[in-house]
Amino acid sequence: MRLDTPTLLLVTVVVTFMVGTLFLLSWGQARRTHALAIWGVAHLGGACASALLALRGVIPDWASIGVANTVMIGAYGLIWSGVRAFEGRRLRLDIALSGGALWGLLCLVPAFYGSMAARVILASAIAGGFCAAGALDVWRGRAEALVSRYPAIVLLGAYAVLYWVRVPLALVAPLPSAGAVMDSPWLAILCFGGMLFTVAIAFTFMALTKERAEREQRQAADTDPLTGIASRRAFVAAAEALLADPDRPVSLLLFDLDHFKSINDAYGHAVGDGVLVGFCCTAQALLPPGALLGRMGGEEFACVIPDHGPEAALARATLVRGALAHLAVPALPRLRVGTSVGVATSEASGRDFDTLLRRADDALYRAKRNGRNRVEISVPPLERAA
């Protein structure tokens, strides 16, 4: 099948323009994602460059060769810049635009402009380098688990290889004359590959931004906005997952800050919020590795400690309670914070989370009845009856 280069160029112009517009429209709905705007500008620039290339022989060569390739190389630099923006790295627009600038300046040198091999080698090396750099930056960000990350790496890497293959071929294979460029099979292949790349990378980049937005929404739903610890829903899900392992002892600590309403009334909600944050910082510093701390609501917090029996759990609860009782705020010398703690263990209460929570809650209210600012451990039903 013969690929018609002018037709492919026209289709590339339309497709690239539509993709660039789509990126900009998406950026309009997610202004914090600057990568979408950069990719949009890059693709609109690519559409303009493809249009100039398609007019080869109709418009002056300085426009269809010099300007077109300058803009096209700059578009690849912007795609790389968009990747860096997506990964939270410094944009380096100076490097992104220097490739096109170098091409444009060298086109002013007659020896370079007159050598098609030199032009092909330089343009291919720079464009392929930007694609490879983009693939490398996506790879470096793999700690953020996004499904579309690896297709993006493959696409950018494959397109880099396609460009770099042209470098040795420009040296060993005969290149078309100036008047037969539009009939070159390499130009047709690049147009076809560029069109497929544009569509595929648009879907991939859009999928990456969508996956990140969904991940951030899940994290927001799983995180208490004030204290930064697990929300009730996330805490319950994680606790049930730990309890599902029958071979691991689990202890549940239920904390309730004593007289918290009076703190809000006396010092204001800003100080009350600071007390909540201070409790979480203190607890996280003193709880063992692997402990899960969550906010159950208001001034009530819960902690699941895996691989800890009754004695170890009781010791940790006592440590947190004591540290909180000795906290002092120089600006508020009369402020004192206490916490009542109820402890329940899977050894005594079973591995059902609701049952464990109910037993810890019973122990917590017993601590309140016995004077507050103390730790009580759940007593198995048989022992209480005795």
Side-chain angles (χ1 to χ4, degrees), residues 211-272:
E211 289 169 19
R212 172 173 286 175
E214 291 175 347
R215 183 172 180 269
E216 290 175 348
Q217 290 171 359
R218 286 195 301 270
Q219 287 179 334
D222 291 345
T223 304
D224 177 64
L226 174 62
T227 61
I229 64 174
S231 64
R232 182 186 183 106
R233 185 184 69 86
F235 174 80
V236 171
E240 289 177 341
L242 288 172
L243 287 165
D245 185 354
D247 298 325
R248 300 183 70 181
V250 174
S251 296
L252 175 63
L253 282 56
L254 202 58
F255 299 90
D256 190 278
L257 302 187
D258 296 328
H259 305 295
F260 183 73
K261 184 178 183 302
S262 65
I263 294 176
N264 276 334
D265 293 341
Y267 300 101
H269 289 281
V271 173

Side-chain angles (χ1 to χ4, degrees), residues 157-383:
Y159 209 53
V161 171
L162 178 62
Y163 265 112
W164 283 341
V165 166
R166 294 183 71 207
V167 173
L169 288 178
L171 297 173
V172 299
L175 294 172
S177 61
V181 171
M182 298 301 287
D183 296 326
S184 169
W186 264 111
L187 182 57
I189 291 171
L190 279 176
C191 290
F192 186 68
M195 184 174 58
L196 294 180
F197 172 78
T198 298
V199 174
I201 208 65
F203 277 107
T204 305
F205 283 166
M206 287 295 184
L208 279 171
T209 55
K210 178 175 179 290
E211 289 169 19
R212 172 173 286 175
E214 291 175 347
R215 183 172 180 269
E216 290 175 348
Q217 290 171 359
R218 286 195 301 270
Q219 287 179 334
D222 291 345
T223 304
D224 177 64
L226 174 62
T227 61
I229 64 174
S231 64
R232 182 186 183 106
R233 185 184 69 86
F235 174 80
V236 171
E240 289 177 341
L242 288 172
L243 287 165
D245 185 354
D247 298 325
R248 300 183 70 181
V250 174
S251 296
L252 175 63
L253 282 56
L254 202 58
F255 299 90
D256 190 278
L257 302 187
D258 296 328
H259 305 295
F260 183 73
K261 184 178 183 302
S262 65
I263 294 176
N264 276 334
D265 293 341
Y267 300 101
H269 289 281
V271 173
D273 289 346
V275 168
L276 296 176
V277 174
F279 166 78
C280 293
C281 293
T282 302
Q284 287 178 315
L286 298 176
L287 291 169
L292 173 67
L293 184 65
R295 187 178 181 186
M296 304 301 284
E299 67 274 18
E300 189 173 279
F301 299 85
C303 175
V304 167
I305 309 179
D307 303 318
H308 276 57
E311 295 80 9
L314 194 61
R316 289 289 179 173
T318 302
L319 182 64
V320 174
R321 185 209 61 78
L324 193 66
H326 287 89
L327 282 180
V329 180
L332 302 171
R334 298 180 60 185
L335 177 63
R336 290 292 180 267
V337 182
T339 181
S340 299
V341 190
V343 180
T345 65
S346 59
E347 295 178 3
S349 303
R351 307 195 71 84
D352 177 70
F353 177 77
D354 291 334
T355 301
L356 199 63
L357 182 62
R358 187 169 59 253
R359 298 280 172 77
D361 196 51
D362 290 342
L364 172 63
Y365 278 95
R366 190 162 64 251
K368 290 182 176 182
R369 289 195 302 269
N370 292 337
R372 298 179 183 269
N373 196 26
R374 58 185 294 121
V375 179
E376 294 284 351
I377 191 166
S378 174
V379 180
L382 291 178
E383 292 185 21

Side-chain angles (χ1 to χ4, degrees), residues 62 65-71 73 97-109 112-113 122 126:
W62 63 264
I65 296 176
V67 175
N69 284 283
T70 297
V71 175
I73 295 171
L97 299 178
S98 63
L102 176 63
W103 165 272
L105 290 174
L106 286 177
C107 282
L108 300 176
V109 179
F112 175 82
Y113 187 77
L122 181 62
I126 296 175

Side-chain angles (χ1 to χ4, degrees), residues 9-147:
L9 280 171
L10 178 61
V11 174
T12 300
V13 171
V14 175
V15 170
T16 308
F17 179 81
M18 292 176 62
V19 168
T21 304
L22 177 62
F23 274 125
L24 291 179
L25 289 174
S26 299
W27 173 68
Q29 298 176 344
R31 290 298 182 95
R32 293 190 304 116
T33 309
H34 302 300
L36 291 172
I38 298 172
W39 288 328
V41 173
H43 281 80
L44 291 180
C48 293
S50 298
L52 291 174
L53 288 171
L55 294 174
R56 181 76 178 268
V58 178
I59 61 176
D61 285 350
W62 63 264
S64 64
I65 296 176
V67 175
N69 284 283
T70 297
V71 175
M72 185 67 75
I73 295 171
Y76 282 110
L78 288 177
I79 290 176
W80 170 65
S81 297
V83 171
R84 289 184 66 85
F86 181 81
E87 298 296 344
R89 299 177 182 274
R90 184 182 173 190
L91 286 185
R92 298 307 306 267
L93 290 176
D94 53 341
I95 297 178
L97 299 178
S98 63
L102 176 63
W103 165 272
L105 290 174
L106 286 177
C107 282
L108 300 176
V109 179
F112 175 82
Y113 187 77
S115 172
M116 183 174 293
R119 299 202 310 263
V120 168
I121 290 172
L122 181 62
S124 300
I126 296 175
F130 281 133
C131 291
L136 181 59
D137 282 324
V138 177
W139 169 257
R140 287 175 176 171
R142 64 189 181 280
E144 181 186 18
L146 301 176
V147 176

